[in-house]
Amino acid sequence: MESGYVTTPFGRRPMSLGMLASQQLAETIEPGMKRSKWKLFRAICEARPALGVTDRALTVLDALLTFYPDDEISEEKGLIVFPSNAQLSLRARGMTPATLRRHLAVLVEAGLILRKDSPNGKRYARRDRAGAIGEAFGFSVAPLLARAVEIESLAAQAVADRELLRVTRERLTLCRRDISKLIAAALEEGVSGDWEGISAMFRALLARIPRVATAEDLALHLDEMGLLRAEIVNMLERRIKTKKIDANESQIEHHKQNSNPDSTYELEPSFETKQGEKAAADNDPNAGPSDERRLKPQKPSGGMSNRAGGAADPGAGPGLKSFPLGLVLQACPSILDYGPGGSIGNWRDLMSAAVVVRSMLGVSPSAYEEACSGMGPENAATVIACILERGGHINSPGGYLRDLTRRTERGEFAIGPMLMALVRANGLTARHAS
């Protein structure tokens, strides 16, 4: 195409700025640029939604490309094809002339082809005496070559988006299956918990999934379902851990019974000696407490008494898993103002902010310490952030925290639904504000 050359359509078809822009773009083809016409056509099919063309229009473009004489499109071999409507209709699966004209106009408007109309509107080529084409009138595929890099990029993005949608849909399906079967297992095993409420929440999440969803929509629902699945797994793991603790206590009690120092079978052989030692100790004024301890049976010192009277054993807590920090901050953005420097970048920052907020809310140190022991420090900080976010609805933050700690130890409280409710509430607030 000659530099600076502008062609206008024949007859009543109007000229537009879009057509002029397409002609200018067609003049920017880099020297030596070439592409396989069928690979380029496949890329156009992949990027069809982004290019704004219909599948019928692509059928017409396919037919047009069959008239290009070579497999590679390049300026050296010419960029004009000039089939008649009758020939084009045959190769477009018998498309009617009116439909053919409509889809040719779609391709022109999408900037994929250009019209180069002759003075009388016919399509033809003038050849020299050697048979080479001197000038041709018809449709130019120059925009395909000029936009080749853009089209290939759009096609690659479309493939990546389709793959992301497939993977996200698979993960959502697996998550749905996991939740359904875990709830069924919990009911069958008689695990304590509000399983009716969890089942109702699961059904509500399923009902909100649109029939035709984008990858972003599915990712949002996957996050919510993943949160629910994590809570269910936490509750079941607490039940498993409780069973293990009960089994260990049973073994310890059994060991105590077998080690009973008053047992006649174990102590009878040395009974006379022990009696003699005790009498000597009673008569010896210099005998100390250590001598008496040798004569008295010693009680085994286990971890159970430490847990009951002293600080909680880190390994004996409920074993709750913490949620992603980004999700916590999305649900509780108010806590950000109390982080070091007005921001929170890691769990240490969140726990520091929770200490500040705890004091501000009037929660006693002992109540917060119990929460850290019962839930874990990360989850205790998360609950403080949730209480801050819902501050206007909680009359006694300290009493509320103690109640949640007790319910957690009994396996009756789950942090996930609280976070999910705050995420949804903040999303609605943001939409109303915009």
Side-chain angles (χ1 to χ4, degrees), residues 201-218:
M201 184 181 299
F202 179 48
R203 290 193 296 269
L205 288 175
L206 292 178
R208 296 211 320 268
I209 300 176
R211 297 181 64 87
V212 180
T214 63
E216 291 77 11
D217 294 334
L218 293 181

Side-chain angles (χ1 to χ4, degrees), residues 150-210:
E150 175 197 354
I151 291 171
E152 290 163 352
S153 176
L154 290 173
Q157 184 62 46
V159 172
D161 290 345
R162 187 169 63 248
E163 180 65 15
L164 177 62
L165 180 63
R166 182 189 66 80
V167 171
T168 307
R169 186 179 286 116
E170 286 180 353
R171 290 177 178 173
L172 184 60
T173 300
L174 291 175
C175 191
R176 290 170 58 178
R177 185 183 71 190
D178 292 346
I179 293 173
S180 177
K181 296 202 172 186
L182 288 172
I183 291 175
L187 292 174
E188 184 176 351
E189 296 288 339
V191 179
S192 61
D194 185 14
W195 297 109
E196 290 185 4
I198 292 176
S199 298
M201 184 181 299
F202 179 48
R203 290 193 296 269
L205 288 175
L206 292 178
R208 296 211 320 268
I209 300 176

Side-chain angles (χ1 to χ4, degrees), residues 89-101:
S89 176
L90 287 175
R91 297 197 187 182
R93 282 70 170 170
M95 191 176 290
T96 62
T99 305
L100 191 65
R101 287 192 295 270

Side-chain angles (χ1 to χ4, degrees), residues 263-325:
S263 171
T264 306
Y265 176 80
E266 292 182 2
L267 296 181
E268 190 172 7
S270 58
F271 183 72
E272 298 294 335
T273 305
K274 295 292 182 181
Q275 269 197 330
E277 288 177 359
K278 184 173 187 343
D282 291 338
N283 295 327
D284 184 3
N286 298 321
S290 60
D291 301 292
E292 294 183 6
R293 282 198 297 268
R294 278 203 310 270
L295 302 178
K296 294 181 180 179
Q298 300 296 317
K299 294 183 179 180
S301 59
M304 299 301 293
S305 60
N306 292 338
R307 265 171 44 206
D313 181 5
L320 293 175
K321 294 180 180 178
S322 59
F323 294 93
L325 179 61

